[in-house]
Amino acid sequence: MAKQSELQLENNLIKQLVGLGYQKVTITDGDALVFNLKVQLEAFNNTLFSTKEFDAILNHLAKGNVFEKAKTLRDRFNITRDNGDSFYVRFFNSEDWTSNLFQVTNQITQEGTYKNRYDVTLLVNGLPLVQIELKRRGLEIKEAFNQINRYQRHTFWSNHGLFQYVQLFVISNGVNTKYLANNKLQSVKQTFFWADVNNKNITDLTAFASSFLNPNHLGKMIAQYVVHNETHKILMVLRPYQFYATEKLVNQVATSNDNGYIWHTTGSGKTLTSFKASQIIMDLPNVHKVVFVVDRKDLDYQTMLEFNSFKKDSVDVTDNTQSLVKQLTDDSKLVLTTIQKLNNAISKANYEKSLTHLQDKKVVFIFDECHRSQFGDTHKKITEYFKSSQLFGFTGTPIFKDNASKNDLGKRTTKDLFGKCLHKYVITDAIKDQNVLRFGIEYVGKYKQKGNTLIDIEVEAIDTAEVFADEKRLEKIADYMIAYHNQKTFNKDYSALFAVNNIETLIKYYDIFKRKKEAGEHDLRIATIFSYGTNEDDEDAQDYIPGDQLQQAAEPQAQYKTSHTREKLDKYIADYNQMYNTSFSTKDSQQFENYFKDISKRLKEREKTTFQDKDRLDIVIVVNMMLTGFDAKKVNTLYVDKNLKYHGLIQAYSRTNRILGEQKSQGNILCFRNLKKATDEAITLFSNKEAIEDIILPPYEAIAEKFDDALKNLLEIVPTFQSVDTLPSEIEELQFIEAFRRLLRAKNVLESYTDFAWDDLGIDEQTFEDYKSKYLDLHDKVKNDSQKHKTSILDDIDFELELIHRDQINVAYILQLLAKLKDAKSADAKAQKKAIIDMLSGDVELRSKRELIEKFIEENLPHISDVDAIQDEFERFWHEEKILALAKMCEEEHLDQKQFKALIESYTDYGREPLRDDIFKCLDNRPSILKAREIGARILDKMKTFVQVFVEGMTG
């Protein structure tokens, strides 16, 4: 059977959509789109608009970016009609989404920086709200994703920016179909399969269209399940399991008074689900108030930030019990608080009097991570006080009989407290959907038969506290971490947590690392934070405390075990203050809380593009803190020297497995205790016995086999790296790119194992580097061709450059190599020079500097007699070249050099990309509207290239 073409795929889809209730309309270009918009808005608003009135509407629609336009879509616009009347124009009906007018068209052509033709467009009331991009069967779906990104850059902004009203994209090759929000910051990792209520993915395009694109469902998704993230100013869309959980909760509140709980695995976005559920539930007519309850003060703050990012000022943290009582009695529909404050409010007579009028009102309580906070008297008090309340719990790790702990009220499970599980999305579902990563678990110890374990760390069959606490053992573990930390974290590009069994051991570890740092054995930035109380000594680290004396992140009013631990912590905070120029201490609860927040922020903000290396924190040593409820995508490694089990284990491991780009392929877990049995039991409890292989990466040998298969495939296409130069056409080049990319992905995973060694592989490191250079040459060729307006089948290929990562190379490293080259005997000099040029060719960042560094080696280095002068001479050369390059760019583009230089400095210092208007202020003459975008984009590209060559990687 012949492969189905893209055109057949398109025609079949349109036919199906017409059958689902869409009106087919022919729209060939921007003018036809505007004409159709007028007709549809008139029909939707049940009126006619004059040319003048419609021009006012078009001007209003043209304002703002994608994020602002999403708000315009949902608002009404007041126009003054030609006869003087006031009229409110609606663009979309969010309350009754089926009353909107749905159309389908295809092959709309728009002119922008380039001309683009789009595949299938779904119009709602004349506005393009869904764009579908198709690739023929057999091609990677990622290519459709890259095509969308290209359209956003090139043409979506043209023609009044109407295509910036797109809320959702759909990408498909017929076999695999995914949807995503219109958010230019996201990667292909933030694209989702639709699924049924039992988490079975609906991947085929025909089935997807029936389930997701029918007007009733699509209208509801746009009306209720597209979220505006105020922090990042982007659109987000709920994944299928978040949608079904929210629908179940809303339905339960609307139709009954029964409680229930949602089991969604750690890391699957419970906060967004619970926010969306709270938002819809609080608008139900029979609901008086929604109270969202967290169990620790740090989560109170974290959740407030997240809730307010989804809807500005939607909640305010209740600073104390008094402010909680005020919010419960005023007209706030959504209240966010901690379990401790809620307990105070209904227990203490002076507060309780103010709340009596709420006792019979329908108050809905939603508990985050309900297993930690709901197993003492508080649960009983809430249900007895609020007689008409409805309680819902969210958890990633429910309490079952197997992992229930006993307290005064006996062994109680999540079901005992909350009733029926309304929706499940377990860890195996999340890994299958690539919503969280698998774990790469290595048990480090002498029972290991093969590998690079440099030391015997006794982990097998030892269980005495003395052996675990032995300083020699701790020293060996510290050495091991120092030896492998760079490998695990891509040369400190990611951070790690180190979980230890108690404060005494933590103090020993911190002191060992500090001593080794002072001795010059490592340059890791290490911090620690610990609280106090009996749970710190709990070997099994249950991560919840029976009863109501819940551990708080930052309220050290309880005494420390000894004054010694308090003094130690203050010393460690002083080290932190010195490292980051801060001024925290344990003197009062606020100072300590701020210290906790600063550590959290430092780890969380690593994922921001503006993050600077001076703020980097490599390892945080903890006992229990940060092992539950803390999310940072740039944490990819957990070192473990403590006993964990069941939900405590899954929660701790899950700190590492948040999705972030191609490079982060798994969460690394390095166990210095034999937790194999505990890990298998936890996975079996929270998914099933068969799931162990799905959740944990296979052994090193299995990944090495994948590498060998990828290598065999590559060598069939290009037997030597020189063969790449003689590939006859772009079709063969595409085959090489896909084959080498597959090899890169396998190598990226292999390198995270401590067993990794080139000797085990069928290719040596130099040959791999030679192939990599050819791969990067093709990347440069595609980039240059696209800048020259050439179209190519390689345009939408993702080269995944983030996988090409090497030791941090900066100016200091280059100078060391040049000094060696200068000192080398003539026989060695040629080989060293070739090695430097090869290294420059194989590094993504340094390729742009290769030409200049070669020029320095050829023209300047021979005339430098003193090796110690190389640094000064190189800096002088670099500075001169930088001035010449800036002058040349300003002359070519007619830019004011002083103003443009200030713009570049703002970009390099703060990561602030200049607006087009900022660039135009530097020009001698402002360009015409027709030329403005093209000129602005060209100058911005040149500026970024200048920064890449002269600034990035040239410090240190």
Side-chain angles (χ1 to χ4, degrees):
M1 186 179 139
K3 276 188 183 172
Q4 189 181 28
S5 72
E6 203 174 298
L7 185 62
Q8 283 173 298
L9 205 59
E10 198 171 292
N11 289 337
N12 291 348
L13 175 63
I14 291 167
K15 191 176 172 187
Q16 184 186 0
L17 291 171
V18 170
L20 289 171
Y22 287 78
Q23 177 203 354
K24 169 79 171 81
V25 58
T26 302
I27 296 174
T28 53
D29 56 23
D31 290 343
L33 182 70
V34 171
F35 178 80
N36 180 69
L37 174 64
K38 181 173 186 288
V39 173
Q40 292 296 296
L41 282 180
E42 287 174 340
F44 179 60
N45 285 278
N46 198 22
T47 187
L48 293 174
F49 297 118
S50 69
T51 303
K52 185 183 168 193
E53 289 166 353
F54 185 64
D55 283 346
I57 293 168
L58 264 186
N59 284 337
H60 174 68
L61 287 172
K63 289 174 188 166
N65 54 27
V66 169
F67 184 73
E68 287 150 357
K69 283 177 174 165
K71 293 182 175 178
T72 301
L73 175 70
R74 291 158 177 83
D75 288 340
R76 299 179 187 219
F77 174 53
N78 181 236
I79 60 166
T80 303
R81 307 214 65 152
D82 293 348
N83 64 3
D85 289 353
S86 180
F87 184 83
Y88 281 91
V89 182
R90 292 190 81 174
F91 304 107
F92 184 78
N93 187 340
S94 293
E95 292 78 40
D96 177 13
W97 47 84
T98 55
S99 68
N100 296 297
L101 308 175
F102 291 80
Q103 294 175 302
V104 58
T105 188
N106 65 325
Q107 300 295 316
I108 298 180
T109 300
Q110 289 223 136
E111 290 266 5
T113 314
Y114 307 100
K115 183 188 279 192
N116 290 145
R117 188 185 293 132
Y118 315 137
D119 288 349
V120 178
T121 307
L122 305 186
L123 304 159
V124 182
N125 308 325
L127 284 167
L129 298 193
V130 179
Q131 181 57 38
I132 304 169
E133 283 305 313
L134 303 171
K135 290 289 174 192
R136 64 176 167 76
R137 292 176 196 268
L139 284 180
E140 253 197 56
I141 194 173
K142 189 188 250 191
E143 291 181 26
F145 174 81
N146 293 334
Q147 197 169 335
I148 282 166
N149 286 343
R150 204 154 44 84
Y151 291 166
Q152 285 177 315
R153 289 196 308 274
H154 294 167
T155 52
F156 275 4
W157 44 265
S158 65
N159 193 33
H160 312 285
L162 293 180
F163 268 86
Q164 290 181 322
Y165 280 91
V166 168
Q167 302 296 287
L168 298 172
F169 291 109
V170 175
I171 54 178
S172 179
N173 60 5
V175 180
N176 285 323
T177 308
K178 297 178 103 176
Y179 70 100
L180 58 146
N182 185 358
N183 161 13
K184 68 174 185 177
L185 296 182
Q186 71 194 355
S187 79
V188 74
K189 297 280 185 185
Q190 275 93 42
T191 60
F192 317 126
F193 287 115
W194 186 245
D196 65 17
V197 71
N198 298 314
N199 305 315
K200 187 174 184 299
N201 285 345
I202 298 167
T203 60
D204 178 77
L205 179 59
T206 305
F208 175 89
S210 296
S211 177
F212 190 90
L213 296 179
N214 71 76
N216 182 31
H217 179 80
L218 183 66
K220 187 178 214 174
M221 287 300 291
I222 293 170
Q224 293 195 322
Y225 293 106
V226 171
V227 176
H228 304 126
N229 185 313
E230 293 284 348
T231 304
H232 298 290
K233 300 283 185 274
I234 54 170
L235 301 184
M236 299 169 72
V237 61
L238 269 67
R239 302 170 193 204
Y241 58 89
Q242 295 173 312
F243 167 85
Y244 289 120
T246 304
E247 291 277 293
K248 292 269 187 183
L249 287 169
V250 171
N251 185 57
Q252 187 93 329
V253 174
T255 61
S256 81
N257 291 313
D258 295 341
N259 302 334
Y261 75 96
I262 301 292
W263 173 8
H264 281 186
T265 193
T266 309
S268 59
K270 289 191 294 296
T271 308
L272 178 56
T273 315
S274 50
F275 166 77
K276 185 38 79 176
S278 304
Q279 195 184 34
I280 297 174
I281 289 167
M282 73 185 190
D283 289 333
L284 293 176
N286 58 337
V287 173
H288 181 69
K289 224 174 254 288
V290 176
V291 182
F292 191 83
V293 188
V294 294
D295 73 348
R296 298 205 317 258
K297 192 169 183 182
D298 57 301
L299 292 181
D300 189 19
Y301 174 75
Q302 188 177 314
T303 310
M304 177 203 73
L305 292 179
E306 290 187 43
F307 267 35
N308 284 336
S309 78
F310 303 142
K311 186 171 192 294
K312 207 172 178 188
D313 303 328
S314 60
V315 286
D316 183 21
V317 165
T318 52
D319 294 328
N320 51 42
T321 308
Q322 185 67 54
S323 71
L324 168 62
V325 171
K326 181 178 176 296
Q327 283 189 37
L328 286 171
T329 51
D330 66 19
D331 56 4
S332 304
K333 288 286 281 184
L334 179 59
V335 178
L336 173 64
T337 190
T338 62
I339 188 105
Q340 292 87 348
K341 283 179 266 195
L342 185 58
N343 188 37
N344 283 342
I346 57 178
S347 305
K348 295 188 177 170
N350 56 325
Y351 296 133
E352 189 269 331
K353 272 184 277 181
S354 314
L355 300 176
T356 45
H357 70 288
L358 291 175
Q359 287 186 307
D360 298 316
K361 294 267 201 310
K362 182 151 179 166
V363 179
V364 175
F365 290 91
I366 297 179
F367 293 88
D368 184 39
E369 281 303 352
C370 57
H371 69 73
R372 290 197 299 254
S373 58
Q374 281 293 293
F375 289 81
D377 291 331
T378 305
H379 185 95
K380 194 170 163 210
K381 281 183 190 166
I382 292 168
T383 49
E384 284 176 357
Y385 189 86
F386 295 98
K387 295 181 178 62
S388 299
S389 65
Q390 212 167 351
L391 275 63
F392 297 104
F394 274 82
T395 181
T397 47
I399 303 299
F400 303 112
K401 286 198 172 90
D402 290 352
N403 62 321
S405 287
K406 211 167 188 177
N407 64 11
D408 299 342
L409 302 164
K411 273 192 168 192
R412 295 198 295 172
T413 65
T414 306
K415 187 180 177 185
D416 293 336
L417 289 162
F418 287 96
K420 200 168 93 177
C421 178
L422 299 178
H423 193 259
K424 254 191 230 184
Y425 185 75
V426 301
I427 190 165
T428 35
D429 295 318
I431 286 169
K432 176 195 70 184
D433 294 343
Q434 298 183 327
N435 285 327
V436 299
L437 299 167
R438 291 198 288 178
F439 301 118
I441 304 175
E442 294 181 71
Y443 302 99
V444 182
K446 71 177 183 183
Y447 71 99
K448 194 171 177 185
Q449 297 302 307
K450 170 192 179 294
N452 294 341
T453 306
L454 306 173
I455 44 180
D456 283 350
I457 300 166
E458 296 85 352
V459 301
E460 186 92 88
I462 57 164
D463 55 5
T464 60
E466 299 91 276
V467 177
F468 278 135
D470 180 61
E471 294 252 3
K472 284 183 192 160
R473 175 179 174 273
L474 305 188
E475 185 105 10
K476 284 177 181 178
I477 288 172
D479 285 339
Y480 191 88
M481 288 169 62
I482 290 166
Y484 287 107
H485 184 79
N486 272 11
Q487 188 179 331
K488 290 290 173 190
T489 59
F490 298 100
N491 298 307
K492 307 190 192 77
D493 201 25
Y494 291 78
S495 299
L497 298 176
F498 182 18
V500 303
N501 62 312
N502 57 34
I503 291 175
E504 283 76 10
T505 309
L506 181 150
I507 287 169
K508 285 179 183 176
Y509 268 123
Y510 187 94
D511 290 344
I512 289 168
F513 277 112
K514 187 174 179 183
R515 172 166 46 77
K516 286 180 179 292
K517 187 169 187 176
E518 286 167 353
E521 292 177 42
H522 71 86
D523 62 351
L524 296 168
R525 297 180 193 168
I526 296 173
T528 184
I529 185 160
F530 49 85
S531 53
Y532 38 83
T534 52
N535 199 44
E536 291 293 352
D537 272 331
D538 179 4
E539 278 291 311
D540 294 328
Q542 287 294 318
D543 281 318
Y544 70 89
I545 302 168
D548 296 316
Q549 298 307 307
L550 293 164
Q551 173 193 14
Q552 296 219 353
E555 295 188 357
Q557 59 265 39
Q559 82 291 349
Y560 282 77
K561 284 228 180 54
T562 64
S563 60
H564 168 68
T565 59
R566 173 80 179 258
E567 285 162 15
K568 279 287 190 183
L569 184 56
D570 264 326
K571 276 185 186 165
Y572 301 158
I573 294 175
D575 291 343
Y576 184 91
N577 289 336
Q578 193 175 348
M579 200 156 39
Y580 298 111
N581 195 25
T582 50
S583 55
F584 304 114
S585 74
T586 65
K587 288 191 175 63
D588 62 65
S589 63
Q590 192 58 51
Q591 284 261 3
F592 185 69
E593 183 182 333
N594 290 343
Y595 174 57
F596 176 86
K597 283 181 183 173
D598 198 69
I599 287 177
S600 303
K601 188 177 173 202
R602 208 168 285 285
L603 294 179
K604 277 172 167 294
E605 294 202 341
R606 284 202 77 167
E607 66 205 63
K608 288 190 175 176
T609 50
T610 52
F611 185 83
Q612 298 189 334
D613 190 65
K614 67 182 173 65
D615 295 322
R616 188 189 82 241
L617 175 56
D618 294 313
I619 299 173
V620 184
I621 311 176
V622 298
V623 177
N624 278 343
M625 289 176 74
M626 303 181 99
L627 296 184
T628 56
F630 173 75
D631 286 342
K633 289 177 182 173
K634 275 279 190 168
V635 169
N636 80 332
T637 300
L638 174 73
Y639 301 107
V640 185
D641 186 18
K642 72 184 291 178
N643 291 340
L644 294 164
K645 66 182 185 186
Y646 295 130
H647 46 282
L649 182 144
I650 293 289
Q651 289 278 351
Y653 284 13
S654 297
R655 298 313 104 213
T656 66
N657 71 340
R658 301 302 186 267
I659 296 277
L660 183 73
E662 290 293 345
Q663 187 185 63
K664 187 180 177 187
S665 53
Q666 76 270 346
N668 299 317
I669 314 293
L670 270 80
C671 293
F672 301 113
R673 299 191 179 199
N674 192 3
L675 298 182
K676 174 115 182 54
K677 184 167 177 279
T679 300
D680 291 352
E681 284 174 351
I683 289 169
T684 302
L685 182 67
F686 293 116
S687 47
N688 58 63
K689 186 86 178 154
E690 289 69 51
I692 291 165
E693 287 180 10
D694 297 330
I695 291 170
I696 298 174
L697 278 176
Y700 175 79
E701 291 74 17
I703 303 288
E705 265 182 48
K706 278 191 177 177
F707 182 92
D708 290 341
D709 289 345
L711 178 61
K712 188 180 167 194
N713 180 42
L714 176 76
L715 296 177
E716 282 169 6
I717 297 164
V718 278
T720 68
F721 69 89
Q722 292 97 333
S723 317
V724 179
D725 298 333
T726 55
L727 291 172
S729 74
E730 282 192 343
I731 293 164
E732 286 77 16
E733 286 176 349
L734 175 60
Q735 287 175 342
F736 162 68
I737 290 163
E738 288 175 338
F740 188 75
R741 186 174 64 186
R742 193 176 143 206
L743 194 70
L744 259 181
R745 287 171 181 169
K747 175 183 164 278
N748 184 55
V749 178
L750 267 184
E751 276 188 313
S752 70
Y753 287 79
T754 51
D755 287 347
F756 175 74
W758 281 101
D759 296 346
D760 299 340
L761 308 178
I763 184 173
D764 62 68
E765 187 173 8
Q766 185 53 57
T767 309
F768 182 87
E769 290 295 321
D770 292 336
Y771 274 109
K772 192 172 82 178
S773 288
K774 295 297 179 187
Y775 181 78
L776 290 171
D777 287 341
L778 277 177
H779 168 261
D780 291 347
K781 176 192 152 193
V782 172
K783 191 176 164 190
N784 292 334
D785 282 355
S786 69
Q787 284 174 355
K788 292 171 190 162
H789 298 208
K790 283 186 188 173
T791 54
S792 159
I793 62 167
L794 304 178
D795 276 348
D796 298 319
I797 291 295
D798 191 336
F799 282 81
E800 294 176 11
L801 295 187
E802 62 201 281
L803 296 181
I804 298 175
H805 194 94
R806 64 189 303 133
D807 293 340
Q808 190 179 5
I809 298 172
N810 51 28
V811 69
Y813 185 74
I814 294 166
L815 292 172
Q816 283 170 20
L817 295 179
L818 294 179
K820 279 183 191 168
L821 178 61
K822 186 68 186 169
D823 278 347
K825 296 189 174 99
S826 56
D828 297 334
K830 195 174 178 186
Q832 283 193 22
K833 182 176 167 185
K834 182 181 183 302
I836 293 173
I837 302 305
D838 286 350
M839 183 201 71
L840 296 173
S841 304
D843 186 273
V844 177
E845 199 171 79
L846 288 179
R847 283 173 76 83
S848 60
K849 313 176 199 319
R850 180 174 60 184
E851 202 179 301
L852 283 171
I853 294 171
E854 277 192 70
K855 184 179 175 184
F856 179 80
I857 292 170
E858 297 292 344
E859 297 178 11
N860 295 51
L861 199 59
H863 306 298
I864 302 171
S865 52
D866 180 5
V867 171
D868 292 336
I870 289 177
Q871 180 168 348
D872 292 341
E873 287 298 319
F874 183 83
E875 284 175 4
R876 187 177 61 77
F877 164 79
W878 206 255
H879 185 64
E880 285 171 2
E881 291 293 332
K882 189 175 172 183
I883 289 168
L884 287 170
L886 180 63
K888 185 182 176 206
M889 183 171 30
C890 290
E891 188 182 343
E892 285 172 356
E893 296 292 350
H894 309 292
L895 294 157
D896 180 288
Q897 194 166 325
K898 192 177 172 187
Q899 278 183 284
F900 194 61
K901 190 180 174 204
L903 214 57
I904 292 173
E905 283 166 1
S906 170
Y907 176 59
T908 54
D909 291 348
Y910 307 107
R912 194 181 296 132
E913 192 173 297
L915 300 170
R916 213 173 332 139
D917 270 0
D918 297 332
I919 292 171
F920 292 158
K921 283 174 190 168
C922 305
L923 286 169
D924 296 343
N925 295 303
R926 191 182 176 93
S928 68
I929 291 170
L930 290 173
K931 292 271 187 178
R933 184 171 286 270
E934 190 183 330
I935 290 170
R938 186 178 69 227
I939 293 172
L940 186 60
D941 277 347
K942 283 188 177 183
M943 186 186 94
K944 285 179 178 176
T945 303
F946 176 85
V947 169
Q948 191 181 23
V949 172
F950 289 103
V951 182
E952 288 172 5
M954 297 309 294
T955 54

